[in-house]
Amino acid sequence: MKGKRHLVSWSAALFGVLGFVFLVAAIGTDFWYLVDASKLERLSNSTERLSSHSGLWRTCRFQSTCQPMVNPFKPDTENITASHKQLLTLITLAGLSLYISYSAAALKEARFLMGTNRLLDHINIQFGWSLAFAWFSFVAEVLTGLAFLLMSRMIGLERRRDRSI
């Protein structure tokens, strides 16, 4: 039984560390949302780059500079308390979830409305690997919680068995 407990505790630690690493990578990178307009760029013979990728904190044009988005946590916001920052983070995550579902529906509607124009056939819009890292983090954190619950159950059964002896 002790060997199983060690295995579960190491699994919990491993999943916890992986969840944290994936979350840091997801939050810190700029590949949540990708817009590939290279087909349109070739068709129009334009020198302007239309393709871009976005993260939680900034939007970047490919082969160009990145533009920061509004940052509610910049140093000159001294009147925002820690609880306000936590609330803003929670609202940001909820808004991100709504944004994901809305953008898929908006793209479908735009394709319907464009009909014969077919402009959107030359633009590829997709979610990037930063979002995948966020999902990996979520799964790893759920597995961490399940491992802790299993460990608790194992310890409880072991204590009951020891009391009955």
Side-chain angles (χ1 to χ4, degrees):
M1 188 72 134
K2 203 168 200 170
K4 287 183 182 178
R5 264 196 309 167
H6 286 298
L7 179 65
V8 172
S9 65
W10 279 106
S11 298
L14 177 67
F15 288 135
V17 168
L18 283 175
F20 179 74
V21 168
F22 280 128
L23 184 63
V24 167
I27 290 173
T29 55
D30 298 322
F31 292 91
W32 284 76
Y33 195 66
L34 308 171
V35 177
D36 180 15
S38 57
K39 290 180 188 176
L40 185 63
E41 291 167 2
R42 282 193 300 269
L43 285 175
S44 65
N45 292 326
S46 173
T47 58
E48 183 181 358
R49 298 289 176 213
L50 302 173
S51 299
S52 66
H53 57 92
S54 300
L56 297 177
W57 317 114
R58 61 187 183 168
T59 298
C60 305
R61 292 197 180 259
F62 284 110
Q63 301 170 349
S64 185
T65 60
C66 296
Q67 300 296 322
M69 294 183 187
V70 175
N71 182 3
F73 306 117
K74 58 187 171 189
D76 62 342
T77 55
E78 295 151 359
N79 58 347
I80 296 179
T81 64
S83 60
H84 285 121
K85 288 180 183 180
Q86 291 171 351
L87 181 63
L88 283 172
T89 303
L90 182 63
I91 290 170
T92 300
L93 292 175
L96 179 65
S97 299
L98 288 173
Y99 175 73
I100 290 169
S101 57
Y102 170 76
S103 62
L107 179 61
K108 186 177 178 182
E109 182 68 19
R111 285 191 179 185
F112 175 74
L113 292 174
M114 302 253 348
T116 58
N117 194 350
R118 312 304 267 176
L119 177 65
L120 290 177
D121 289 343
H122 302 292
I123 300 174
N124 183 18
I125 301 171
Q126 61 187 359
F127 296 106
W129 52 268
S130 296
L131 182 65
F133 277 3
W135 278 107
F136 290 150
S137 172
F138 173 75
V139 169
E141 294 300 329
V142 167
L143 291 173
T144 302
L146 291 174
F148 276 120
L149 289 173
L150 178 61
M151 178 67 80
S152 173
R153 177 80 172 150
M154 291 170 70
I155 290 172
L157 289 174
E158 194 174 295
R159 285 184 181 169
R160 264 191 245 139
R161 188 190 57 171
D162 290 346
R163 286 184 193 156
S164 66
I165 295 178

